[in-house]
């Protein structure tokens, strides 16, 4: 299974970006997907997650600004980020819990996409 993330870039404070992460390979179903981020010198942190049934979690600092969504048919998770702040600058990683065709569940990570919020 591979996770391919895209959509990062440079944006001004107050702007928006949309990240996407597509899972491909030996997939029976996606159990859950999530976005983490890691700023320079800091630990990687979970910011939002979504289950295949649509249950979501948001870390306090992104509530009301970020929206996670999951297209089960495309095995793709999206992160709509609005009202971006300089402190949102980080490498964003997608994470997935996937059931393969042997009904074995594994966790996978994408390669990371850089988001820079700066004027």
């Amino acid at each position: 299974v591979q996770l391919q993330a895209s959509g990062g870039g440079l944006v001004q404070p107050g702007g928006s970006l949309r990240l996407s992460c597509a899972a491909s390979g030996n997939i029976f179903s996606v159990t859950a997907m999530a976005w983490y981020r890691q700023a320079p010198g800091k630990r990687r942190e979970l910011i939002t997650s979504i289950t295949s049934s649509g249950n979501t979690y948001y870390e306090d600092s992104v509530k009301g600004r970020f929206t996670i969504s999951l297209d089960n048919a495309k095995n793709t998770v999206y992160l709509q980020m609005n009202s971006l702040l300089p402190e949102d600058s980080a490498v964003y990683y997608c994470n997935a819990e996937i059931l393969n065709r042997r009904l074995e569940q594994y966790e996978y990570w994408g390669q990371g996409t850089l988001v820079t919020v700066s004027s």
Side-chain angles (χ1 to χ4, degrees):
V1 172
Q2 297 83 38
L3 299 184
Q4 181 66 46
S6 61
L10 173 65
V11 64
Q12 291 188 342
S16 298
L17 277 176
R18 188 191 194 211
L19 306 183
S20 63
C21 177
S24 61
N26 181 9
I27 299 172
F28 178 76
S29 66
V30 172
T31 303
M33 296 188 82
W35 289 97
Y36 289 69
R37 68 184 178 189
Q38 186 169 20
K42 294 189 176 181
R43 297 172 60 182
R44 188 176 299 188
E45 61 174 353
L46 171 66
I47 56 169
T48 182
S49 64
I50 186 167
T51 67
S52 58
S53 58
N55 293 318
T56 58
Y57 159 82
Y58 294 95
E59 193 269 332
D60 285 347
S61 68
V62 306
K63 279 182 183 176
R65 300 189 299 122
F66 291 10
T67 302
I68 190 170
S69 59
L70 175 62
D71 186 330
N72 286 302
K74 296 182 179 180
N75 294 325
T76 299
V77 65
Y78 303 95
L79 181 62
Q80 178 66 43
M81 304 186 293
N82 299 327
S83 303
L84 282 161
L85 305 168
E87 49 264 44
D88 293 318
S89 297
V91 177
Y92 284 68
Y93 296 90
C94 63
N95 171 280
E97 295 177 6
I98 292 174
L99 204 61
N100 64 23
R101 295 186 184 94
R102 296 179 63 177
L103 303 184
E104 301 163 327
Q105 181 154 303
Y106 293 99
E107 182 181 30
Y108 299 91
W109 290 91
Q111 83 281 14
T113 184
L114 178 64
V115 172
T116 303
V117 184
S118 175
S119 55

